[in-house]
Amino acid sequence: MSQARPTAPRKTRIQAQNEELILAAALDVFSSLGYRGSTVDQIASKCGLSKPNLLYYFRRKEDIYFAVLEKILAEWGDTLKSLDPDGDPIEEIGSYIRQKLRLSRDNPRASRLFANEILQGGESIGDFLKGPVRSLLHEKAAVISRWIREERINPIDPYHLIIAIWATTQHYADFDVQLRAVLDERERSLEAAERTLIALFCDGLRPRLP
Amino acid sequence: MSQARPTAPRKTRIQAQNEELILAAALDVFSSLGYRGSTVDQIASKCGLSKPNLLYYFRRKEDIYFAVLEKILAEWGDTLKSLDPDGDPIEEIGSYIRQKLRLSRDNPRASRLFANEILQGGESIGDFLKGPVRSLLHEKAAVISRWIREERINPIDPYHLIIAIWATTQHYADFDVQLRAVLDERERSLEAAERTLIALFCDGLRPRLP
DNA sequence: TCCGTACTTGACCAGCCGATCAAGAATTTA
DNA sequence: TAAATTCTTGATCGGCTGGTCAAGTACGGA
């Protein structure tokens, strides 16, 4: 699967270089047009290769798509590992939000590709979701549950908390078009989003009376 | 635009009936396959009409899409009008969350179609976003700003607050596939989501000390 | 009942797109 | 340098899909 040519067990310099080119172009195209909306020609011309040449490295359009997906899922897995069980709960969750927000800003196309895939039924990543993501979620939920038991944070459902964090942070990548149409430039700063979300998740809206 | 036949100023019984059939089927198909992934044939066979017959009512595939979009945007506009400026802030925001969450549950396909459209660049709804949605957002933001000035809720950015509400509530429709893969049946109840979000937005995570 | 209009459809077309192939160019290896 | 391998591409194919058309059928008013 990671080998373009089944007959070639090792990667040439040219091969590695072109595959990288292709995957970069493919992320670009797939994330903005969706799988079905993208054509092999578009990807090829975006990276300056001919269509048959591209199909020499990846036999099928599907294979390109899978390769892109695989790549971004791997990167994501790495970045999701934080949330130190031994740290201060509020600090940890705050920095988790910050981190995910930055990921949204720095890698919006990956986020959109993922969103697209989910909306389309997510068949290609079902195993990934049911495996790594699921266990990661449960692991983090357990940490949060412990924090709740120790009365270091308010008692809320840990699963829905994490989902809320995912939803709010990814939203800045996935719905960027909407935000651009609806917010003024000045209101769209990452800092404002960061401040608001952290304030919200930490202290909520209700004023502390005394 | 609302008339399928430019030469026919009035709607026949059959016409009204078939257009409704078509739009229902189209929402179904478009929302699960996206615009480019859907075919006119699929929509036609889903509502038991032949393809040419469908294209008799809507000349182009695009026209069907626009009609569906127009319909759901109109319905949405209606449901978004709540948030009474004279009510209790916490109550109002809570009931707004509840309302949007129920909308997600009762009309997930509309939500997904919308998300799909945004991800694809949202050209078809640019005017809608820059117009009605934008002014609605500003209107609500003004209300929230007043509540903040009156010190009835904590000072946070009203725009990002509303966006956070949109993000979290729509997420339950748009990312349903992911939630199914990652959560157990029991954890996926609307009630849990409702409770968690409202607790989060109202009181946050940090315990009140005294 | 008859006539005009609205509706329906099988057959068909043109363009696009994924994929193939054979043949030539470049690069590596010996 | 020569042979072997890898890389590149123009030409082409077949299937799918949006859209058309002509011919027929149902409907509704007089």
Side-chain angles (χ1 to χ4, degrees):
Chain A
M1 168 147 278
S2 63
Q3 292 299 331
R5 308 266 77 187
T7 50
R10 295 191 39 158
K11 280 198 186 180
T12 316
R13 201 191 67 249
I14 296 179
Q15 200 174 119
Q17 178 184 317
N18 278 345
E19 282 182 7
E20 198 173 334
L21 267 174
I22 293 169
L23 291 183
L27 173 57
D28 227 40
V29 175
F30 281 138
S31 69
S32 65
L33 276 344
Y35 177 74
R36 315 226 188 197
S38 309
T39 72
V40 177
D41 255 326
Q42 288 170 324
I43 300 172
S45 71
K46 169 146 283 184
C47 59
L49 300 179
S50 67
K51 182 169 66 168
N53 197 10
L54 194 150
L55 288 167
Y56 166 76
Y57 290 103
F58 297 89
R59 281 178 133 88
R60 304 156 157 262
K61 183 188 178 186
E62 255 191 347
D63 293 343
I64 314 175
Y65 185 67
F66 289 152
V68 174
L69 223 40
E70 204 172 88
K71 201 180 167 194
I72 69 171
L73 293 186
E75 286 171 4
W76 265 14
D78 291 344
T79 339
L80 286 172
K81 297 271 163 68
S82 77
L83 205 72
D84 178 12
D86 301 323
D88 173 67
I90 299 289
E91 296 268 316
E92 286 300 321
I93 288 169
S95 91
Y96 184 56
I97 291 172
R98 242 186 306 269
Q99 193 179 327
K100 285 230 66 182
L101 223 34
R102 301 227 157 107
L103 196 63
S104 255
R105 180 197 53 187
D106 298 336
N107 224 339
R109 291 171 310 173
S111 182
R112 281 195 282 268
L113 185 67
F114 182 80
N116 238 312
E117 174 58 29
I118 294 283
L119 275 173
Q120 251 40 246
E123 279 177 57
S124 320
I125 54 173
D127 291 342
F128 177 75
L129 293 177
K130 284 179 194 146
V133 176
R134 193 188 160 87
S135 26
L136 195 67
L137 176 67
H138 279 74
E139 190 189 309
K140 294 200 176 186
V143 171
I144 291 172
S145 288
R146 212 199 63 213
W147 286 341
I148 292 174
R149 247 179 288 118
E150 296 170 354
E151 299 187 352
R152 300 170 73 189
I153 61 174
N154 287 329
I156 47 119
D157 185 308
Y159 293 102
H160 290 278
L161 166 62
I162 295 171
I163 286 163
I165 295 176
W166 289 354
T168 46
T169 52
Q170 284 173 216
H171 196 80
Y172 284 91
D174 302 342
F175 284 71
D176 183 58
V177 167
Q178 185 183 13
L179 297 184
R180 275 173 202 280
V182 149
L183 292 181
D184 294 328
E185 184 69 39
R186 155 181 47 84
E187 300 156 349
R188 251 180 37 234
S189 75
L190 185 77
E191 289 72 33
E194 218 173 87
R195 253 183 288 116
T196 308
L197 285 182
I198 290 179
L200 209 52
F201 280 88
C202 291
D203 293 310
L205 294 170
R206 199 197 313 272
R208 315 219 157 194
L209 294 174
Chain B
M1 168 146 277
S2 63
Q3 292 300 332
R5 307 267 80 188
T7 50
R10 296 191 38 158
K11 281 199 184 180
T12 318
R13 200 192 68 250
I14 296 179
Q15 200 174 119
Q17 178 183 316
N18 278 346
E19 282 182 7
E20 198 174 335
L21 267 173
I22 293 169
L23 291 182
L27 173 58
D28 227 38
V29 175
F30 281 138
S31 69
S32 65
L33 277 342
Y35 176 73
R36 316 228 188 196
S38 308
T39 72
V40 177
D41 256 327
Q42 287 170 324
I43 300 172
S45 72
K46 170 144 283 185
C47 59
L49 300 179
S50 66
K51 180 169 67 166
N53 197 9
L54 194 150
L55 289 166
Y56 167 78
Y57 290 103
F58 297 89
R59 281 178 134 86
R60 305 158 157 264
K61 184 187 178 187
E62 256 191 347
D63 293 344
I64 313 175
Y65 186 66
F66 289 152
V68 174
L69 223 40
E70 204 173 88
K71 201 179 167 194
I72 70 171
L73 293 186
E75 285 170 6
W76 264 14
D78 291 345
T79 339
L80 286 172
K81 297 273 161 67
S82 77
L83 205 71
D84 179 13
D86 301 323
D88 173 66
I90 299 289
E91 295 267 316
E92 286 300 321
I93 288 169
S95 91
Y96 184 55
I97 291 171
R98 241 187 305 271
Q99 193 178 328
K100 285 230 65 181
L101 221 36
R102 300 225 159 109
L103 195 62
S104 254
R105 181 196 53 188
D106 297 337
N107 224 338
R109 291 171 311 173
S111 182
R112 281 195 282 268
L113 185 66
F114 183 79
N116 240 312
E117 173 59 28
I118 294 283
L119 276 173
Q120 255 33 252
E123 280 178 54
S124 320
I125 54 173
D127 292 341
F128 176 75
L129 294 177
K130 285 177 193 147
V133 177
R134 192 187 160 87
S135 26
L136 195 67
L137 176 66
H138 279 73
E139 190 190 310
K140 293 198 176 187
V143 171
I144 292 172
S145 286
R146 212 198 65 213
W147 285 341
I148 292 174
R149 247 180 289 118
E150 296 170 353
E151 297 187 352
R152 300 170 74 189
I153 61 175
N154 287 328
I156 47 117
D157 185 308
Y159 293 101
H160 290 279
L161 166 61
I162 295 171
I163 287 164
I165 295 176
W166 288 354
T168 45
T169 51
Q170 288 177 20
H171 196 81
Y172 284 92
D174 303 342
F175 284 71
D176 183 58
V177 167
Q178 185 183 10
L179 297 184
R180 276 174 201 280
V182 150
L183 292 181
D184 294 329
E185 184 69 39
R186 153 182 48 83
E187 302 155 346
R188 252 181 36 236
S189 75
L190 185 76
E191 288 71 34
E194 218 173 86
R195 253 184 288 115
T196 308
L197 285 182
I198 289 179
L200 210 50
F201 279 87
C202 292
D203 293 309
L205 295 169
R206 199 197 310 273
R208 317 222 154 192
L209 294 173

